[in-house]
């Protein structure tokens, strides 16, 4: 993958949130007037939404509209004045560019996304566009996917414990592997838990690997998707066209996928 670095700002090391903002603002530089954009979800993508809103209010990006990847993004984009389209309406105009963060980025620019629960809509929208620009700070760079936390799998609620068992069987005997249904505190009762529900009304299974996923990622992807009850997973393989990385010293590296 190729890379280019920008000069650091004069103010030393930045906080993680400041790094996210630096990367997000660099990504917005790819946006041109008239583009239809895929609008990502999460704390890093939120900085891109704010920047887009500023530029739209200043009249710098006429004709730009966005397709949100979550209800949260839809509300945020509306609040900052970004015109919105549903995915089916955008298909005629074609999504020129999607901008989103990632939970992990490996050396081949494969991603883990969706730990916030928006992986299905993210993959649908970001996979439908011409270019996908990913914005991260350097802590998200990993040698293998699954090194720093869960790989989410969206499953339908019906028979979710059965689907969880099938996912566990797929990795049976793999040292350090475990999977669980994501839960959140119930509305009433501090000791009660209930399944986390996505914007699509589905549940999330979280897969954990002791030292990341080893093996053919596409084969693992195919085997997961063949499990009845699995809707989608959070491995975004070969989708990112550009990854913008904000480093602790304030420099920005722009990495492109190998041809």
């Amino acid at each position: 993958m190729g890379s280019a670095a920008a000069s650091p700002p004069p103010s030393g090391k930045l906080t993680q949130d400041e790094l996210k903002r630096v990367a997000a603002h660099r990504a917005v530089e790819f946006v041109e007037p008239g583009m239809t954009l895929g609008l990502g979800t999460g704390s890093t993508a939120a900085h891109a939404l704010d920047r887009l809103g500023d530029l739209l209010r200043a009249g710098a990006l006429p004709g730009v509209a966005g397709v949100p990847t979550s209800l949260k993004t839809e509300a945020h984009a509306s609040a900052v004045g970004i015109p919105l389209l549903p995915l089916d309406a955008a298909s005629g105009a074609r999504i020129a560019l999607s901008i989103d963060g990632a939970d992990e980025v490996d050396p081949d620019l494969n991603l883990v996304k969706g730990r916030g629960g928006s992986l299905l809509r993210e993959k649908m929208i970001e996979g439908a566009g011409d270019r996908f620009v990913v914005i991260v700070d350097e802590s998200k760079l990993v040698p293998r996917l699954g090194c720093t936390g869960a790989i989410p799998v969206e499953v339908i609620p019906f028979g979710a414990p059965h689907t969880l068992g099938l996912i566990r069987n797929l990795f049976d005997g793999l040292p350090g592997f475990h999977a669980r249904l994501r839960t959140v505190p119930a509305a009433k009762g501090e000791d009660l838990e209930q399944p986390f529900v996505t914007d699509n009304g589905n549940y999330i299974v979280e897969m954990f690997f002791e030292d990341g996923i080893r093996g053919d990622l596409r084969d693992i992807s195919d085997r997961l998707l063949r499990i009845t009850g699995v809707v989608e997973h959070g491995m975004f393989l070969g989708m990112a066209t550009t990854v913008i990385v904000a480093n602790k010293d304030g420099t920005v590296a722009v990495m492109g996928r190998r041809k």
Side-chain angles (χ1 to χ4, degrees), residues 97-118:
L97 175 70
S98 293
I99 300 174
D100 204 354
D103 299 301
E104 294 182 344
V105 181
D106 79 4
D108 294 319
L109 305 192
N110 295 312
L111 317 172
V112 170
K113 287 180 49 57
R115 289 180 183 163
S118 301

PDB file of all heavy atoms in Angstrom, residues 97-118:
ATOM      1  N   LEU A  97     -18.577   8.520  -2.992  1.00  0.00           N
ATOM      2  CA  LEU A  97     -17.569   8.421  -1.943  1.00  0.00           C
ATOM      3  C   LEU A  97     -18.251   8.147  -0.614  1.00  0.00           C
ATOM      4  O   LEU A  97     -19.265   8.762  -0.300  1.00  0.00           O
ATOM      5  CB  LEU A  97     -16.788   9.745  -1.860  1.00  0.00           C
ATOM      6  CG  LEU A  97     -15.756   9.911  -0.758  1.00  0.00           C
ATOM      7  CD1 LEU A  97     -14.559   9.019  -1.009  1.00  0.00           C
ATOM      8  CD2 LEU A  97     -15.317  11.376  -0.665  1.00  0.00           C
ATOM      9  N   SER A  98     -17.705   7.213   0.144  1.00  0.00           N
ATOM     10  CA  SER A  98     -18.152   6.980   1.517  1.00  0.00           C
ATOM     11  C   SER A  98     -17.002   7.310   2.459  1.00  0.00           C
ATOM     12  O   SER A  98     -15.835   7.052   2.149  1.00  0.00           O
ATOM     13  CB  SER A  98     -18.577   5.521   1.717  1.00  0.00           C
ATOM     14  OG  SER A  98     -19.735   5.222   0.974  1.00  0.00           O
ATOM     15  N   ILE A  99     -17.339   7.882   3.612  1.00  0.00           N
ATOM     16  CA  ILE A  99     -16.351   8.221   4.635  1.00  0.00           C
ATOM     17  C   ILE A  99     -16.803   7.613   5.954  1.00  0.00           C
ATOM     18  O   ILE A  99     -17.938   7.832   6.390  1.00  0.00           O
ATOM     19  CB  ILE A  99     -16.197   9.750   4.795  1.00  0.00           C
ATOM     20  CG1 ILE A  99     -15.734  10.394   3.486  1.00  0.00           C
ATOM     21  CG2 ILE A  99     -15.230  10.072   5.922  1.00  0.00           C
ATOM     22  CD1 ILE A  99     -15.694  11.911   3.533  1.00  0.00           C
ATOM     23  N   ASP A 100     -15.927   6.833   6.576  1.00  0.00           N
ATOM     24  CA  ASP A 100     -16.294   6.195   7.839  1.00  0.00           C
ATOM     25  C   ASP A 100     -15.035   5.831   8.612  1.00  0.00           C
ATOM     26  O   ASP A 100     -13.941   5.782   8.047  1.00  0.00           O
ATOM     27  CB  ASP A 100     -17.125   4.936   7.583  1.00  0.00           C
ATOM     28  CG  ASP A 100     -18.011   4.559   8.761  1.00  0.00           C
ATOM     29  OD1 ASP A 100     -17.905   5.196   9.839  1.00  0.00           O
ATOM     30  OD2 ASP A 100     -18.825   3.619   8.609  1.00  0.00           O
ATOM     31  N   GLY A 101     -15.198   5.578   9.892  1.00  0.00           N
ATOM     32  CA  GLY A 101     -14.102   5.090  10.708  1.00  0.00           C
ATOM     33  C   GLY A 101     -14.015   3.583  10.651  1.00  0.00           C
ATOM     34  O   GLY A 101     -14.736   2.918   9.908  1.00  0.00           O
ATOM     35  N   ALA A 102     -13.123   3.006  11.448  1.00  0.00           N
ATOM     36  CA  ALA A 102     -12.977   1.561  11.544  1.00  0.00           C
ATOM     37  C   ALA A 102     -12.455   1.221  12.925  1.00  0.00           C
ATOM     38  O   ALA A 102     -11.776   2.032  13.570  1.00  0.00           O
ATOM     39  CB  ALA A 102     -12.029   1.022  10.468  1.00  0.00           C
ATOM     40  N   ASP A 103     -12.772   0.020  13.385  1.00  0.00           N
ATOM     41  CA  ASP A 103     -12.272  -0.459  14.667  1.00  0.00           C
ATOM     42  C   ASP A 103     -10.870  -1.038  14.542  1.00  0.00           C
ATOM     43  O   ASP A 103     -10.069  -0.959  15.478  1.00  0.00           O
ATOM     44  CB  ASP A 103     -13.227  -1.517  15.233  1.00  0.00           C
ATOM     45  CG  ASP A 103     -14.622  -0.952  15.465  1.00  0.00           C
ATOM     46  OD1 ASP A 103     -14.743   0.018  16.228  1.00  0.00           O
ATOM     47  OD2 ASP A 103     -15.585  -1.468  14.863  1.00  0.00           O
ATOM     48  N   GLU A 104     -10.574  -1.633  13.386  1.00  0.00           N
ATOM     49  CA  GLU A 104      -9.246  -2.181  13.107  1.00  0.00           C
ATOM     50  C   GLU A 104      -8.954  -2.073  11.618  1.00  0.00           C
ATOM     51  O   GLU A 104      -9.867  -2.153  10.788  1.00  0.00           O
ATOM     52  CB  GLU A 104      -9.152  -3.666  13.514  1.00  0.00           C
ATOM     53  CG  GLU A 104      -9.271  -3.928  14.997  1.00  0.00           C
ATOM     54  CD  GLU A 104      -9.135  -5.408  15.343  1.00  0.00           C
ATOM     55  OE1 GLU A 104      -9.250  -6.261  14.434  1.00  0.00           O
ATOM     56  OE2 GLU A 104      -8.915  -5.712  16.527  1.00  0.00           O
ATOM     57  N   VAL A 105      -7.663  -1.909  11.301  1.00  0.00           N
ATOM     58  CA  VAL A 105      -7.196  -1.907   9.908  1.00  0.00           C
ATOM     59  C   VAL A 105      -5.949  -2.777   9.845  1.00  0.00           C
ATOM     60  O   VAL A 105      -4.987  -2.542  10.576  1.00  0.00           O
ATOM     61  CB  VAL A 105      -6.843  -0.482   9.422  1.00  0.00           C
ATOM     62  CG1 VAL A 105      -6.373  -0.520   7.961  1.00  0.00           C
ATOM     63  CG2 VAL A 105      -8.024   0.470   9.583  1.00  0.00           C
ATOM     64  N   ASP A 106      -5.955  -3.803   8.975  1.00  0.00           N
ATOM     65  CA  ASP A 106      -4.774  -4.664   8.865  1.00  0.00           C
ATOM     66  C   ASP A 106      -3.860  -4.170   7.746  1.00  0.00           C
ATOM     67  O   ASP A 106      -4.189  -3.192   7.040  1.00  0.00           O
ATOM     68  CB  ASP A 106      -5.183  -6.142   8.709  1.00  0.00           C
ATOM     69  CG  ASP A 106      -5.626  -6.527   7.296  1.00  0.00           C
ATOM     70  OD1 ASP A 106      -5.569  -5.690   6.356  1.00  0.00           O
ATOM     71  OD2 ASP A 106      -6.045  -7.689   7.118  1.00  0.00           O
ATOM     72  N   PRO A 107      -2.684  -4.776   7.541  1.00  0.00           N
ATOM     73  CA  PRO A 107      -1.740  -4.265   6.531  1.00  0.00           C
ATOM     74  C   PRO A 107      -2.279  -4.281   5.102  1.00  0.00           C
ATOM     75  O   PRO A 107      -1.761  -3.554   4.243  1.00  0.00           O
ATOM     76  CB  PRO A 107      -0.537  -5.207   6.674  1.00  0.00           C
ATOM     77  CG  PRO A 107      -0.583  -5.657   8.098  1.00  0.00           C
ATOM     78  CD  PRO A 107      -2.046  -5.820   8.388  1.00  0.00           C
ATOM     79  N   ASP A 108      -3.292  -5.106   4.824  1.00  0.00           N
ATOM     80  CA  ASP A 108      -3.895  -5.141   3.493  1.00  0.00           C
ATOM     81  C   ASP A 108      -5.121  -4.240   3.386  1.00  0.00           C
ATOM     82  O   ASP A 108      -5.868  -4.316   2.400  1.00  0.00           O
ATOM     83  CB  ASP A 108      -4.280  -6.578   3.129  1.00  0.00           C
ATOM     84  CG  ASP A 108      -3.061  -7.479   2.983  1.00  0.00           C
ATOM     85  OD1 ASP A 108      -2.053  -7.024   2.398  1.00  0.00           O
ATOM     86  OD2 ASP A 108      -3.100  -8.624   3.469  1.00  0.00           O
ATOM     87  N   LEU A 109      -5.344  -3.410   4.389  1.00  0.00           N
ATOM     88  CA  LEU A 109      -6.477  -2.489   4.472  1.00  0.00           C
ATOM     89  C   LEU A 109      -7.815  -3.206   4.602  1.00  0.00           C
ATOM     90  O   LEU A 109      -8.863  -2.644   4.270  1.00  0.00           O
ATOM     91  CB  LEU A 109      -6.500  -1.507   3.292  1.00  0.00           C
ATOM     92  CG  LEU A 109      -5.237  -0.679   3.057  1.00  0.00           C
ATOM     93  CD1 LEU A 109      -5.518   0.430   2.049  1.00  0.00           C
ATOM     94  CD2 LEU A 109      -4.672  -0.104   4.337  1.00  0.00           C
ATOM     95  N   ASN A 110      -7.797  -4.455   5.075  1.00  0.00           N
ATOM     96  CA  ASN A 110      -9.032  -5.085   5.515  1.00  0.00           C
ATOM     97  C   ASN A 110      -9.421  -4.471   6.857  1.00  0.00           C
ATOM     98  O   ASN A 110      -8.554  -4.048   7.630  1.00  0.00           O
ATOM     99  CB  ASN A 110      -8.859  -6.596   5.656  1.00  0.00           C
ATOM    100  CG  ASN A 110      -8.575  -7.266   4.333  1.00  0.00           C
ATOM    101  OD1 ASN A 110      -9.252  -7.018   3.335  1.00  0.00           O
ATOM    102  ND2 ASN A 110      -7.556  -8.115   4.307  1.00  0.00           N
ATOM    103  N   LEU A 111     -10.706  -4.454   7.151  1.00  0.00           N
ATOM    104  CA  LEU A 111     -11.203  -3.736   8.315  1.00  0.00           C
ATOM    105  C   LEU A 111     -12.042  -4.620   9.225  1.00  0.00           C
ATOM    106  O   LEU A 111     -12.661  -5.593   8.769  1.00  0.00           O
ATOM    107  CB  LEU A 111     -12.097  -2.569   7.878  1.00  0.00           C
ATOM    108  CG  LEU A 111     -11.658  -1.694   6.704  1.00  0.00           C
ATOM    109  CD1 LEU A 111     -12.782  -0.746   6.331  1.00  0.00           C
ATOM    110  CD2 LEU A 111     -10.392  -0.933   7.051  1.00  0.00           C
ATOM    111  N   VAL A 112     -12.079  -4.256  10.496  1.00  0.00           N
ATOM    112  CA  VAL A 112     -13.171  -4.651  11.388  1.00  0.00           C
ATOM    113  C   VAL A 112     -13.978  -3.392  11.646  1.00  0.00           C
ATOM    114  O   VAL A 112     -13.429  -2.352  12.015  1.00  0.00           O
ATOM    115  CB  VAL A 112     -12.672  -5.238  12.724  1.00  0.00           C
ATOM    116  CG1 VAL A 112     -13.840  -5.400  13.706  1.00  0.00           C
ATOM    117  CG2 VAL A 112     -12.002  -6.587  12.496  1.00  0.00           C
ATOM    118  N   LYS A 113     -15.275  -3.488  11.429  1.00  0.00           N
ATOM    119  CA  LYS A 113     -16.190  -2.383  11.674  1.00  0.00           C
ATOM    120  C   LYS A 113     -17.434  -2.929  12.350  1.00  0.00           C
ATOM    121  O   LYS A 113     -17.695  -4.108  12.335  1.00  0.00           O
ATOM    122  CB  LYS A 113     -16.576  -1.687  10.356  1.00  0.00           C
ATOM    123  CG  LYS A 113     -15.448  -0.851   9.767  1.00  0.00           C
ATOM    124  CD  LYS A 113     -15.844  -0.165   8.464  1.00  0.00           C
ATOM    125  CE  LYS A 113     -17.149   0.560   8.533  1.00  0.00           C
ATOM    126  NZ  LYS A 113     -17.186   1.601   9.617  1.00  0.00           N
ATOM    127  N   GLY A 114     -18.188  -2.022  12.935  1.00  0.00           N
ATOM    128  CA  GLY A 114     -19.500  -2.403  13.443  1.00  0.00           C
ATOM    129  C   GLY A 114     -19.559  -2.749  14.913  1.00  0.00           C
ATOM    130  O   GLY A 114     -20.569  -3.295  15.358  1.00  0.00           O
ATOM    131  N   ARG A 115     -18.524  -2.430  15.684  1.00  0.00           N
ATOM    132  CA  ARG A 115     -18.614  -2.690  17.123  1.00  0.00           C
ATOM    133  C   ARG A 115     -19.691  -1.829  17.775  1.00  0.00           C
ATOM    134  O   ARG A 115     -20.163  -2.147  18.862  1.00  0.00           O
ATOM    135  CB  ARG A 115     -17.250  -2.480  17.790  1.00  0.00           C
ATOM    136  CG  ARG A 115     -16.260  -3.576  17.427  1.00  0.00           C
ATOM    137  CD  ARG A 115     -14.899  -3.377  18.076  1.00  0.00           C
ATOM    138  NE  ARG A 115     -13.974  -4.425  17.635  1.00  0.00           N
ATOM    139  CZ  ARG A 115     -12.651  -4.356  17.756  1.00  0.00           C
ATOM    140  NH1 ARG A 115     -12.091  -3.300  18.322  1.00  0.00           N
ATOM    141  NH2 ARG A 115     -11.891  -5.346  17.324  1.00  0.00           N
ATOM    142  N   GLY A 116     -20.091  -0.768  17.094  1.00  0.00           N
ATOM    143  CA  GLY A 116     -21.221   0.027  17.566  1.00  0.00           C
ATOM    144  C   GLY A 116     -22.564  -0.518  17.133  1.00  0.00           C
ATOM    145  O   GLY A 116     -23.607  -0.014  17.562  1.00  0.00           O
ATOM    146  N   GLY A 117     -22.550  -1.541  16.263  1.00  0.00           N
ATOM    147  CA  GLY A 117     -23.791  -2.195  15.872  1.00  0.00           C
ATOM    148  C   GLY A 117     -24.366  -1.800  14.534  1.00  0.00           C
ATOM    149  O   GLY A 117     -25.456  -2.260  14.170  1.00  0.00           O
ATOM    150  N   SER A 118     -23.661  -0.982  13.742  1.00  0.00           N
ATOM    151  CA  SER A 118     -24.219  -0.504  12.467  1.00  0.00           C
ATOM    152  C   SER A 118     -23.617  -1.199  11.250  1.00  0.00           C
ATOM    153  O   SER A 118     -23.680  -0.677  10.145  1.00  0.00           O
ATOM    154  CB  SER A 118     -23.999   1.018  12.348  1.00  0.00           C
ATOM    155  OG  SER A 118     -24.600   1.708  13.412  1.00  0.00           O
TER     156      SER A 118
END
